């Protein structure tokens, strides 16, 4: 069984605000650090549009659960795999995902999630690399 990690206040606040559960078996990056890293890439002051932090939260939420699903499946932890799968199966209906992720035909679910739940982890691994990056890439 994976270690249970303590969630930082920013994720606890988001969980309370949006009624979202974040995985507690995957280390999640600091949203403030992610914003600072983007700011550091720019030359001069950076202004973020309203909702930018929410969009990062949506990505972190999905990527965290993807990593949880991958690791649980690889170690044969069916309970954790089912928990992650349940979270991801309902993701299209989550407020932040609905607001910030455009996938009306649920292509991600068909091409990434369904194969992972059926035991084919390759599309999930590719999505972690292509859509999530550090620290979610195994």
């Amino acid at each position: 069984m994976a270690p249970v990690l303590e969630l930082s206040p920013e994720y606890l606040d988001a969980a309370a605000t949006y009624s979202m559960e974040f995985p507690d078996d995957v280390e999640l990056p600091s949203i403030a650090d992610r914003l600072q890293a983007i700011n550091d890439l720019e030359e001069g002051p950076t202004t973020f549009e309203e909702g930018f932090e929410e969009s990062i939260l949506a990505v972190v939420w999905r990527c965290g659960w993807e990593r949880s699903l991958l690791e649980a499946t690889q170690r044969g932890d069916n309970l954790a795999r089912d928990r992650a799968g349940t979270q991801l199966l309902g993701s299209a209906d989550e407020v932040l995902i609905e607001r910030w992720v455009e996938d009306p035909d649920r292509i991600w679910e068909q091409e990434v999630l369904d194969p992972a739940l059926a035991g084919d982890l390759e599309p999930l691994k590719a999505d972690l690399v292509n859509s999530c990056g550090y620290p979610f890439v195994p």
Side-chain angles (χ1 to χ4, degrees):
M1 179 170 218
V4 174
L5 303 172
E6 187 175 324
L7 292 177
S8 68
E10 63 194 338
Y11 294 107
L12 294 175
D13 290 347
T17 302
Y18 301 104
S19 301
M20 297 173 82
E21 184 179 346
F22 285 84
D24 57 9
D25 59 346
V26 174
E27 190 167 347
L28 302 175
S30 162
I31 298 299
D33 288 350
R34 284 207 152 193
L35 292 173
Q36 187 60 51
I38 293 168
N39 189 58
D40 291 346
L41 291 173
E42 301 297 322
E43 294 179 15
T46 304
T47 303
F48 295 103
E49 291 182 28
E50 185 177 340
F52 188 72
E53 188 171 303
E54 279 188 355
S55 70
I56 291 177
L57 270 173
V59 170
V60 167
W61 182 88
R62 194 196 78 210
C63 293
W65 282 114
E66 281 189 39
R67 177 71 186 259
S68 182
L69 176 62
L70 174 67
E71 290 179 350
T73 303
Q74 289 174 329
R75 69 177 179 270
D77 184 342
N78 292 334
L79 187 63
R81 182 188 77 86
D82 291 348
R83 179 176 175 231
T86 298
Q87 288 292 323
L88 290 167
L89 279 171
S91 67
D93 300 322
E94 291 288 351
V95 172
L96 282 180
I97 302 300
E98 204 171 63
R99 189 177 298 158
W100 297 107
V101 178
E102 191 171 320
D103 189 12
D105 297 324
R106 298 186 178 204
I107 300 299
W108 173 84
E109 194 173 299
Q110 295 168 29
E111 294 182 356
V112 176
L113 184 57
D114 290 346
L117 294 174
D120 179 6
L121 298 177
E122 293 310 310
L124 181 63
K125 289 177 185 177
D127 195 59
L128 283 165
V129 170
N130 297 325
S131 299
C132 299
Y134 176 82
F136 301 106
V137 176

